[in-house]
Amino acid sequence: MLENYRQAAQALKEADALLIGAGAGMGVDSGLPDFRGDAGFWKAYPIHYGRSFHELANPRWFRSDPALAWGFYGHRLKLYQATVPHEGFAILLNWAERMPAGYFVFTSNVDGHFQKAGFDAERIFECHGSINFLQCQKPCHEEIWQADASTFDVEMNTLRAVGQLPVCRSCQLIARPNALLFGDGHWLDIRSREQASRYSQWLRQVQGKYVVAIELGAGTAIPTVRYECEARASTLIRINPREAEVRNGGISLSFGALLALKSINELM
């Protein structure tokens, strides 16, 4: 494993460009819940034992039971906004800003923690959107606006929201997060498409250069981030305590994000 760390450090020293791929495991070291599988979800939200994450993370609840929908998403929004990104984000940013051909972040996380940690918002592609922005649940128009969780509270014994729930500025229906949910046919991907366009432009700029992808906490259940890093990297560094397997030429580190990043950084 020490040799793998040495190889990772050497690859980062030689890289022209850095692609940072991040899944849900990236936030665990910041103190965020591990939603891995139903067991992780029920541990984080025991009140909903027996109802899966897939069931609750569905846009239909904003129509049929808005207090339940905003109990779940409002709690997550408040948690994400109150949580400080762990030290590993700063380590990544330090590496990224040294790259001759720059960097880009490709993440399935909706918490906005890369922006919060100081990464350039113009260099982040949130492929599943962001909980920090809202949209109409219908939607009656294509406006996306900043989320504000200060108007309501969440009763943790029932995980239901109480107070003034977010509403659409035009039709006054209950608003919803501008994030891709399960069974979602109404997600407004305008913001995400703009990010995707900037990402594609960067990929064209680094074509033919030595691109190192460092992938953190991205699992196989929803493998979007894993596939993207595999497709774009000259060398892939995969950091994952459970699913760190890589193809030939990749570097596997079976640890959590923070420990692995600090260990690589010491060698650099």
Side-chain angles (χ1 to χ4, degrees), residues 96-110:
E97 291 181 334
R98 295 180 185 178
M99 294 290 155
Y103 71 91
F104 224 96
V105 176
F106 183 96
T107 181
S108 59
N109 296 339
V110 299

Side-chain angles (χ1 to χ4, degrees), residues 25-53:
M26 181 63 178
V28 171
D29 291 308
S30 300
L32 297 178
D34 182 0
F35 292 112
R36 178 183 169 83
D38 288 338
F41 174 61
W42 291 330
K43 182 179 179 182
Y45 295 107
I47 194 68
H48 286 294
Y49 187 84
R51 180 176 284 157
S52 71
F53 181 89

Side-chain angles (χ1 to χ4, degrees), residues 8-245:
Q10 189 61 35
L12 287 162
K13 287 178 183 178
E14 296 174 358
D16 297 314
L18 180 64
L19 173 60
I20 299 167
M26 181 63 178
V28 171
D29 291 308
S30 300
L32 297 178
D34 182 0
F35 292 112
R36 178 183 169 83
D38 288 338
F41 174 61
W42 291 330
K43 182 179 179 182
Y45 295 107
I47 194 68
H48 286 294
Y49 187 84
R51 180 176 284 157
S52 71
F53 181 89
H54 287 69
E55 287 180 279
L56 201 56
N58 188 297
R60 67 186 176 91
W61 297 110
F62 290 97
R63 299 187 300 272
S64 62
D65 194 344
L68 172 65
W70 272 112
F72 177 51
Y73 279 99
H75 173 257
R76 289 178 67 188
L77 176 59
K78 290 173 182 284
L79 180 64
Y80 294 159
Q81 291 181 343
T83 300
V84 177
H86 60 75
E87 182 186 348
F89 284 87
I91 292 172
L92 281 171
L93 182 57
N94 183 46
W95 296 344
E97 291 181 334
R98 295 180 185 178
M99 294 290 155
Y103 71 91
F104 224 96
V105 176
F106 183 96
T107 181
S108 59
N109 296 339
V110 299
D111 53 28
H113 275 199
F114 278 97
Q115 291 93 327
K116 195 172 184 179
F119 285 79
D120 184 352
E122 299 291 300
R123 292 183 172 273
I124 300 172
F125 180 11
E126 297 159 305
C127 63
H128 292 167
S130 173
I131 200 174
N132 294 288
F133 292 85
L134 302 181
Q135 66 167 83
C136 177
Q137 64 166 280
K138 192 180 282 186
C140 70
H141 58 84
E142 294 191 338
E143 183 182 1
I144 297 169
W145 64 96
Q146 196 80 34
D148 178 8
S150 66
T151 62
F152 64 92
D153 293 312
V154 178
E155 294 181 342
M156 290 307 296
N157 59 328
T158 62
L159 203 68
R160 297 181 70 84
V162 293
Q164 184 179 344
L165 302 182
V167 297
C168 172
R169 296 175 175 182
S170 295
C171 70
Q172 301 303 303
L173 281 176
I174 296 296
R176 50 158 283 186
N178 181 234
L180 180 62
L181 311 182
F182 292 100
D184 199 344
H186 299 292
W187 176 46
L188 291 174
D189 65 349
I190 300 166
R191 181 171 172 272
S192 185
R193 287 204 313 268
E194 292 173 351
Q195 294 178 337
S197 177
R198 292 192 291 268
Y199 176 54
S200 295
Q201 182 180 359
W202 180 76
L203 288 176
R204 289 192 294 271
Q205 291 172 353
V206 300
Q207 191 170 5
K209 298 183 183 297
Y210 182 36
V211 179
V212 171
I214 186 162
E215 178 197 296
L216 307 113
T220 57
I222 302 177
T224 312
V225 173
R226 291 173 74 98
Y227 288 167
E228 186 65 24
C229 289
E230 287 172 356
R232 306 300 183 184
S234 307
T235 296
L236 170 63
I237 303 168
R238 174 164 284 153
I239 297 172
N240 194 307
R242 301 183 187 94
E243 299 170 318
E245 299 83 5

